[in-house]
Amino acid sequence: MSRFGASILDADGVELSREERAFFRDANPFGFILFARNVQSETQLYRLCNQMRDAVGRDAPITIDQEGGRVQRLRAPLWREWLPPLEQATRAGEQAARSFYLRFRLIAEELRRCGIDSNCAPMLDIAFDETHDFLRNRCYGTDIDMISEIGRAASQGLLEGGVLPVAKHIPGHGRAQADSHFELPSVNISRDELIATDGAPFAALSDIPMGMTAHIRYPQIDDQPATLSKTVMDLIRHDLGFDGLIMTDDISMKALEGDLGTLSRAALAAGCDVILHCNGTLKERMTVADAAGEMTDEAQRRAENALEQRKSPQDIDISALDAELEALLNGRVNAS
Protein backbone atom coordinates (compact mmCIF):
# COMPACT_ATOMS: atom_id res chain seq x y z
CA MET A 1 0.00 0.00 0.00
CA SER A 2 1.36 3.45 -0.92
CA ARG A 3 2.28 5.87 1.84
CA PHE A 4 -0.55 8.25 2.82
CA GLY A 5 -0.16 11.95 3.37
CA ALA A 6 -0.36 12.77 7.10
CA SER A 7 -3.38 15.05 6.71
CA ILE A 8 -7.17 15.03 6.63
CA LEU A 9 -8.49 17.94 4.59
CA ASP A 10 -11.73 19.68 3.66
CA ALA A 11 -13.12 21.30 0.50
CA ASP A 12 -14.77 24.61 -0.28
CA GLY A 13 -18.16 23.64 -1.62
CA VAL A 14 -20.56 21.05 -2.99
CA GLU A 15 -18.14 19.84 -5.66
CA LEU A 16 -14.39 19.92 -6.12
CA SER A 17 -12.84 22.67 -8.15
CA ARG A 18 -10.18 21.89 -10.73
CA GLU A 19 -7.57 23.35 -8.38
CA GLU A 20 -8.74 21.18 -5.48
CA ARG A 21 -8.63 18.04 -7.59
CA ALA A 22 -5.06 18.74 -8.67
CA PHE A 23 -3.98 19.59 -5.13
CA PHE A 24 -5.52 16.47 -3.58
CA ARG A 25 -3.92 14.31 -6.27
CA ASP A 26 -0.48 15.67 -5.37
CA ALA A 27 -0.94 15.87 -1.58
CA ASN A 28 -2.57 12.41 -1.25
CA PRO A 29 -4.21 13.16 2.14
CA PHE A 30 -5.14 10.14 4.24
CA GLY A 31 -8.76 11.26 4.13
CA PHE A 32 -11.26 14.07 4.00
CA ILE A 33 -13.76 15.80 6.27
CA LEU A 34 -17.10 17.33 5.30
CA PHE A 35 -19.03 20.32 6.69
CA ALA A 36 -22.46 21.85 6.22
CA ARG A 37 -21.18 23.96 3.31
CA ASN A 38 -20.46 20.71 1.44
CA VAL A 39 -23.99 19.39 1.92
CA GLN A 40 -26.82 19.90 -0.55
CA SER A 41 -28.48 16.52 -1.11
CA GLU A 42 -27.77 12.81 -0.78
CA THR A 43 -27.02 12.49 -4.49
CA GLN A 44 -24.73 15.52 -4.47
CA LEU A 45 -22.87 14.28 -1.38
CA TYR A 46 -22.32 10.87 -2.93
CA ARG A 47 -20.92 12.56 -6.04
CA LEU A 48 -18.61 14.78 -3.96
CA CYS A 49 -17.28 11.77 -2.03
CA ASN A 50 -16.56 10.03 -5.33
CA GLN A 51 -14.73 13.12 -6.56
CA MET A 52 -12.56 13.15 -3.44
CA ARG A 53 -11.69 9.47 -3.77
CA ASP A 54 -11.06 9.80 -7.49
CA ALA A 55 -8.65 12.67 -6.81
CA VAL A 56 -6.40 10.46 -4.65
CA GLY A 57 -7.02 7.30 -6.67
CA ARG A 58 -8.17 5.11 -3.75
CA ASP A 59 -11.00 4.44 -1.34
CA ALA A 60 -9.97 7.18 1.10
CA PRO A 61 -11.97 7.51 4.34
CA ILE A 62 -14.35 10.47 4.44
CA THR A 63 -15.48 11.66 7.85
CA ILE A 64 -17.99 14.11 9.24
CA ASP A 65 -19.22 15.42 12.60
CA GLN A 66 -22.58 13.72 12.99
CA GLU A 67 -22.92 13.49 16.76
CA GLY A 68 -26.53 14.61 16.80
CA GLY A 69 -27.94 17.55 18.69
CA ARG A 70 -26.11 20.79 17.97
CA VAL A 71 -23.27 19.05 16.16
CA GLN A 72 -24.64 17.38 13.06
CA ARG A 73 -23.87 18.39 9.50
CA LEU A 74 -26.72 16.41 7.91
CA ARG A 75 -29.99 17.96 9.05
CA ALA A 76 -33.71 17.99 8.43
CA PRO A 77 -35.62 17.93 6.19
CA LEU A 78 -33.36 15.52 4.29
CA TRP A 79 -32.00 13.68 7.34
CA ARG A 80 -33.10 12.93 10.89
CA GLU A 81 -32.73 15.44 13.68
CA TRP A 82 -31.22 13.83 16.77
CA LEU A 83 -31.61 14.73 20.44
CA PRO A 84 -28.61 16.27 22.21
CA PRO A 85 -26.63 13.23 23.45
CA LEU A 86 -26.93 14.11 27.14
CA GLU A 87 -30.70 14.45 26.78
CA GLN A 88 -30.97 11.09 25.04
CA ALA A 89 -28.86 9.39 27.73
CA THR A 90 -31.04 10.91 30.44
CA ARG A 91 -34.30 9.93 28.78
CA ALA A 92 -33.15 6.38 28.04
CA GLY A 93 -31.89 5.80 31.58
CA GLU A 94 -30.78 2.19 32.07
CA GLN A 95 -31.31 1.60 28.34
CA ALA A 96 -28.95 4.42 27.33
CA ALA A 97 -26.33 2.13 25.79
CA ARG A 98 -28.89 0.31 23.67
CA SER A 99 -30.41 3.61 22.60
CA PHE A 100 -27.02 4.87 21.44
CA TYR A 101 -26.33 1.67 19.53
CA LEU A 102 -29.59 2.24 17.66
CA ARG A 103 -28.89 5.95 17.18
CA PHE A 104 -25.49 5.37 15.64
CA ARG A 105 -26.52 2.34 13.62
CA LEU A 106 -29.15 4.55 12.00
CA ILE A 107 -26.67 7.40 11.59
CA ALA A 108 -24.27 4.97 9.92
CA GLU A 109 -27.00 4.00 7.46
CA GLU A 110 -27.56 7.64 6.57
CA LEU A 111 -23.86 8.33 6.18
CA ARG A 112 -23.11 5.32 4.01
CA ARG A 113 -25.91 6.22 1.61
CA CYS A 114 -24.06 9.50 1.03
CA GLY A 115 -20.65 7.86 0.57
CA ILE A 116 -19.38 8.81 4.04
CA ASP A 117 -17.61 6.05 5.98
CA SER A 118 -16.30 7.70 9.15
CA ASN A 119 -17.88 9.73 11.94
CA CYS A 120 -16.23 11.93 14.58
CA ALA A 121 -17.97 10.08 17.41
CA PRO A 122 -18.29 8.73 20.07
CA MET A 123 -17.53 11.66 22.33
CA LEU A 124 -16.11 10.17 25.53
CA ASP A 125 -15.67 13.40 27.48
CA ILE A 126 -17.12 13.41 31.00
CA ALA A 127 -19.75 16.00 31.87
CA PHE A 128 -18.72 17.91 35.00
CA ASP A 129 -20.49 20.79 36.73
CA GLU A 130 -17.91 23.13 35.23
CA THR A 131 -18.04 21.76 31.66
CA HIS A 132 -18.36 24.61 29.17
CA ASP A 133 -21.76 24.98 27.50
CA PHE A 134 -20.33 24.33 24.03
CA LEU A 135 -19.57 20.77 25.13
CA ARG A 136 -21.81 19.76 28.02
CA ASN A 137 -24.96 18.52 26.29
CA ARG A 138 -22.78 16.72 23.75
CA CYS A 139 -21.52 14.43 26.56
CA TYR A 140 -23.06 11.07 27.42
CA GLY A 141 -23.10 11.56 31.18
CA THR A 142 -21.12 12.01 34.38
CA ASP A 143 -20.29 8.39 35.23
CA ILE A 144 -17.14 6.83 33.75
CA ASP A 145 -18.56 3.33 33.45
CA MET A 146 -21.78 4.54 31.82
CA ILE A 147 -19.90 6.77 29.37
CA SER A 148 -17.66 3.84 28.46
CA GLU A 149 -20.67 1.54 27.97
CA ILE A 150 -22.48 4.09 25.81
CA GLY A 151 -19.31 4.82 23.84
CA ARG A 152 -18.81 1.13 23.15
CA ALA A 153 -22.41 0.74 21.98
CA ALA A 154 -22.18 3.83 19.77
CA SER A 155 -18.94 2.57 18.22
CA GLN A 156 -20.45 -0.84 17.59
CA GLY A 157 -23.42 0.73 15.86
CA LEU A 158 -21.12 2.70 13.58
CA LEU A 159 -18.81 -0.22 12.82
CA GLU A 160 -21.69 -2.56 12.04
CA GLY A 161 -22.97 0.10 9.67
CA GLY A 162 -19.64 0.28 7.84
CA VAL A 163 -18.55 3.57 9.43
CA LEU A 164 -15.28 4.07 11.30
CA PRO A 165 -15.70 5.77 14.71
CA VAL A 166 -13.36 8.49 15.98
CA ALA A 167 -13.17 8.71 19.78
CA LYS A 168 -12.86 12.27 21.04
CA HIS A 169 -11.48 14.38 22.65
CA ILE A 170 -8.58 12.33 23.98
CA PRO A 171 -7.44 12.42 26.83
CA GLY A 172 -10.58 14.30 27.94
CA HIS A 173 -12.19 17.69 27.35
CA GLY A 174 -14.92 17.61 29.99
CA ARG A 175 -13.25 19.74 32.66
CA ALA A 176 -12.55 22.58 30.24
CA GLN A 177 -14.20 25.85 31.19
CA ALA A 178 -13.38 27.53 27.87
CA ASP A 179 -14.31 26.80 24.26
CA SER A 180 -11.17 25.57 22.50
CA HIS A 181 -12.49 26.91 19.20
CA PHE A 182 -11.62 30.36 20.55
CA GLU A 183 -9.10 29.98 23.39
CA LEU A 184 -6.89 27.41 25.08
CA PRO A 185 -8.54 25.79 28.11
CA SER A 186 -6.32 24.91 31.07
CA VAL A 187 -7.18 21.97 33.33
CA ASN A 188 -5.17 21.86 36.54
CA ILE A 189 -5.24 18.18 37.49
CA SER A 190 -2.44 15.72 38.12
CA ARG A 191 -1.27 13.02 35.75
CA ASP A 192 -2.71 10.32 38.00
CA GLU A 193 -6.09 12.04 38.19
CA LEU A 194 -6.22 12.53 34.44
CA ILE A 195 -5.54 8.83 33.89
CA ALA A 196 -8.05 7.72 36.54
CA THR A 197 -10.91 10.02 35.51
CA ASP A 198 -10.98 11.96 32.23
CA GLY A 199 -8.82 9.43 30.41
CA ALA A 200 -10.60 6.34 31.74
CA PRO A 201 -13.30 6.07 29.01
CA PHE A 202 -10.58 6.28 26.36
CA ALA A 203 -8.65 3.50 28.08
CA ALA A 204 -11.83 1.41 28.16
CA LEU A 205 -12.23 1.91 24.40
CA SER A 206 -8.53 1.82 23.52
CA ASP A 207 -9.22 -0.54 20.61
CA ILE A 208 -11.29 2.00 18.67
CA PRO A 209 -9.73 2.52 15.22
CA MET A 210 -9.24 6.29 15.47
CA GLY A 211 -9.14 9.08 18.04
CA MET A 212 -9.06 12.88 18.07
CA THR A 213 -7.00 15.02 20.44
CA ALA A 214 -8.18 17.67 22.88
CA HIS A 215 -6.69 21.15 22.50
CA ILE A 216 -6.27 21.47 26.28
CA ARG A 217 -3.30 22.34 28.47
CA TYR A 218 -2.65 20.33 31.62
CA PRO A 219 -0.13 22.53 33.48
CA GLN A 220 0.72 19.88 36.07
CA ILE A 221 1.79 17.60 33.21
CA ASP A 222 3.15 19.91 30.49
CA ASP A 223 2.95 23.57 29.50
CA GLN A 224 2.10 22.62 25.90
CA PRO A 225 -1.47 21.80 24.79
CA ALA A 226 -2.11 18.06 24.62
CA THR A 227 -2.05 18.09 20.82
CA LEU A 228 1.50 19.46 20.86
CA SER A 229 2.76 17.66 23.97
CA LYS A 230 4.93 14.57 23.64
CA THR A 231 4.39 13.96 27.37
CA VAL A 232 0.61 13.87 27.00
CA MET A 233 0.76 11.87 23.77
CA ASP A 234 2.98 9.30 25.51
CA LEU A 235 0.43 9.17 28.33
CA ILE A 236 -2.31 8.45 25.78
CA ARG A 237 -0.29 5.69 24.15
CA HIS A 238 1.19 4.04 27.23
CA ASP A 239 -1.00 4.84 30.25
CA LEU A 240 -4.33 4.78 28.40
CA GLY A 241 -3.15 2.11 25.95
CA PHE A 242 -4.72 3.81 22.93
CA ASP A 243 -3.09 2.44 19.77
CA GLY A 244 -5.56 3.72 17.18
CA LEU A 245 -4.75 6.36 14.60
CA ILE A 246 -4.74 9.74 16.36
CA MET A 247 -5.74 12.84 14.45
CA THR A 248 -5.47 16.32 15.86
CA ASP A 249 -8.57 18.31 16.53
CA ASP A 250 -8.76 21.05 13.90
CA ILE A 251 -5.24 22.44 13.77
CA SER A 252 -6.61 25.89 12.87
CA MET A 253 -8.63 26.34 16.08
CA LYS A 254 -7.73 29.42 18.08
CA ALA A 255 -6.72 27.33 21.12
CA LEU A 256 -3.39 26.83 19.33
CA GLU A 257 -1.06 29.74 18.68
CA GLY A 258 1.29 29.80 15.72
CA ASP A 259 1.32 29.36 11.98
CA LEU A 260 -0.26 26.27 10.49
CA GLY A 261 2.97 24.78 9.20
CA THR A 262 4.75 25.06 12.54
CA LEU A 263 1.74 23.71 14.44
CA SER A 264 1.38 20.76 12.07
CA ARG A 265 5.03 19.78 12.42
CA ALA A 266 4.86 20.18 16.21
CA ALA A 267 1.77 17.96 16.51
CA LEU A 268 3.40 15.21 14.47
CA ALA A 269 6.61 15.51 16.48
CA ALA A 270 4.58 15.16 19.68
CA GLY A 271 3.13 11.87 18.48
CA CYS A 272 -0.05 12.64 16.54
CA ASP A 273 -0.40 10.53 13.40
CA VAL A 274 -2.32 12.88 11.15
CA ILE A 275 -3.23 16.57 11.01
CA LEU A 276 -6.90 17.52 10.72
CA HIS A 277 -7.40 20.87 9.03
CA CYS A 278 -10.85 22.45 8.66
CA ASN A 279 -12.44 25.65 7.41
CA GLY A 280 -9.43 27.17 5.72
CA THR A 281 -8.46 28.39 2.29
CA LEU A 282 -6.88 26.22 -0.39
CA LYS A 283 -3.57 27.94 0.32
CA GLU A 284 -3.84 27.03 4.00
CA ARG A 285 -4.62 23.41 3.13
CA MET A 286 -1.52 23.38 0.95
CA THR A 287 0.56 24.70 3.85
CA VAL A 288 -0.71 21.98 6.18
CA ALA A 289 -0.26 19.18 3.64
CA ASP A 290 3.28 20.32 2.86
CA ALA A 291 4.23 20.54 6.54
CA ALA A 292 2.61 17.19 7.35
CA GLY A 293 4.28 15.30 4.54
CA GLU A 294 3.88 11.53 4.47
CA MET A 295 2.91 9.35 7.41
CA THR A 296 5.57 7.74 9.55
CA ASP A 297 5.84 3.95 9.59
CA GLU A 298 3.84 3.75 12.82
CA ALA A 299 1.17 6.15 11.59
CA GLN A 300 0.86 4.18 8.34
CA ARG A 301 0.47 0.97 10.33
CA ARG A 302 -2.30 2.49 12.43
CA ALA A 303 -3.98 3.94 9.34
CA GLU A 304 -3.98 0.57 7.61
CA ASN A 305 -5.29 -1.13 10.75
CA ALA A 306 -8.12 1.39 10.92
CA LEU A 307 -9.08 0.87 7.30
CA GLU A 308 -9.13 -2.90 7.81
CA GLN A 309 -12.00 -2.37 10.28
CA ARG A 310 -14.13 -0.67 7.63
CA LYS A 311 -16.66 -3.34 6.68
CA SER A 312 -19.61 -3.56 4.34
CA PRO A 313 -22.79 -3.13 6.39
CA GLN A 314 -25.47 -5.76 6.61
CA ASP A 315 -29.04 -4.89 5.67
CA ILE A 316 -31.18 -3.63 8.55
CA ASP A 317 -34.86 -3.02 9.12
CA ILE A 318 -34.72 0.75 9.50
CA SER A 319 -38.35 1.11 10.55
CA ALA A 320 -37.90 -1.53 13.27
CA LEU A 321 -34.79 0.19 14.68
CA ASP A 322 -36.54 3.56 14.55
CA ALA A 323 -39.51 2.13 16.43
CA GLU A 324 -37.31 0.50 19.08
CA LEU A 325 -35.38 3.72 19.64
CA GLU A 326 -38.57 5.75 19.95
CA ALA A 327 -39.94 3.26 22.46
CA LEU A 328 -36.73 3.32 24.50
CA LEU A 329 -36.75 7.11 24.65
CA ASN A 330 -40.36 7.14 25.75
CA GLY A 331 -39.99 4.43 28.39
CA ARG A 332 -42.19 1.92 26.64
CA VAL A 333 -39.89 -1.15 26.58
CA ASN A 334 -37.95 -3.19 29.09
CA ALA A 335 -34.31 -4.33 28.85
CA SER A 336 -33.61 -6.42 25.76
Side-chain angles (χ1 to χ4, degrees):
M1 186 177 291
S2 61
R3 191 59 62 97
F4 303 131
S7 56
I8 296 173
L9 304 174
D10 61 342
D12 285 337
V14 296
E15 63 180 25
L16 294 188
S17 67
R18 181 179 302 175
E19 292 79 11
E20 286 173 325
R21 290 173 190 261
F23 163 58
F24 291 146
R25 182 190 63 236
D26 293 339
N28 190 31
F30 169 64
F32 301 92
I33 186 167
L34 300 172
F35 292 92
R37 67 178 180 276
N38 305 122
V39 176
Q40 191 175 71
S41 69
E42 184 177 307
T43 301
Q44 167 270 322
L45 260 182
Y46 193 84
R47 183 172 61 248
L48 175 60
C49 289
N50 283 339
Q51 290 175 352
M52 289 173 161
R53 293 182 172 115
D54 287 345
V56 295
R58 56 184 167 81
D59 190 15
I62 298 176
T63 197
I64 196 167
D65 284 294
Q66 192 71 357
E67 300 174 12
R70 285 188 300 108
V71 181
Q72 59 178 89
R73 311 305 182 197
L74 309 185
R75 308 211 75 118
L78 298 179
W79 294 278
R80 292 174 181 82
E81 288 288 328
W82 300 96
L83 290 173
L86 191 58
E87 181 178 341
Q88 174 166 323
T90 301
R91 285 177 59 175
E94 293 181 356
Q95 296 300 302
R98 177 63 181 174
S99 81
F100 274 86
Y101 168 83
L102 296 167
R103 174 189 180 110
F104 280 101
R105 183 62 184 85
L106 290 165
I107 286 175
E109 188 74 10
E110 292 185 330
L111 297 182
R112 283 292 297 231
R113 287 205 307 266
C114 300
I116 301 164
D117 58 4
S118 175
N119 190 9
C120 295
M123 207 185 78
L124 303 180
D125 302 317
I126 301 170
F128 294 92
D129 290 342
E130 65 268 27
T131 301
H132 192 281
D133 285 346
F134 98 95
L135 192 81
R136 196 172 200 284
N137 72 349
R138 297 165 58 191
C139 299
Y140 301 158
T142 60
D143 178 78
I144 292 170
D145 291 339
M146 180 58 71
I147 293 167
S148 301
E149 183 181 358
I150 292 173
R152 174 67 65 189
S155 299
Q156 195 64 31
L158 290 170
L159 285 167
E160 289 183 11
V163 173
L164 293 174
V166 181
K168 62 185 186 185
H169 304 83
I170 192 166
H173 208 304
R175 294 181 194 266
Q177 299 181 49
D179 184 345
S180 54
H181 291 88
F182 304 106
E183 58 184 304
L184 177 63
S186 185
V187 174
N188 193 28
I189 59 174
S190 69
R191 177 189 183 95
D192 288 345
E193 188 174 4
L194 177 62
I195 293 167
T197 56
D198 304 56
F202 296 97
L205 276 74
S206 61
D207 57 326
I208 281 188
M210 295 190 285
M212 178 189 291
T213 64
H215 291 332
I216 292 182
R217 187 173 72 96
Y218 304 93
Q220 292 191 40
I221 302 173
D222 194 348
D223 285 337
Q224 290 293 320
T227 303
L228 308 180
S229 169
K230 187 176 188 307
T231 301
V232 176
M233 293 303 301
D234 285 347
L235 179 154
I236 291 168
R237 293 300 190 193
H238 301 301
D239 296 278
L240 303 184
F242 193 91
D243 192 43
L245 183 83
I246 294 184
M247 65 183 74
T248 69
D249 203 346
D250 179 11
I251 202 70
S252 67
M253 286 165 62
K254 292 180 173 59
L256 304 181
E257 295 184 356
D259 66 88
L260 291 172
T262 300
L263 289 172
S264 297
R265 287 186 288 270
L268 294 172
C272 295
D273 295 310
V274 63
I275 306 300
L276 175 66
H277 179 257
C278 312
N279 303 314
T281 64
L282 179 58
K283 183 177 180 181
E284 288 170 334
R285 288 179 219 133
M286 290 177 172
T287 297
V288 169
D290 182 64
E294 291 187 336
M295 285 186 170
T296 64
D297 290 345
E298 276 296 285
Q300 183 78 14
R301 175 187 67 80
R302 294 186 183 111
E304 292 174 6
N305 286 345
L307 294 179
E308 286 175 2
Q309 297 184 56
R310 185 175 54 176
K311 307 297 184 182
S312 297
Q314 296 182 348
D315 291 337
I316 58 171
D317 185 335
I318 294 175
S319 60
L321 296 189
D322 268 328
E324 183 184 353
L325 179 57
E326 182 181 358
L328 282 172
L329 296 181
N330 289 282
R332 294 202 301 266
V333 297
N334 295 320
S336 58

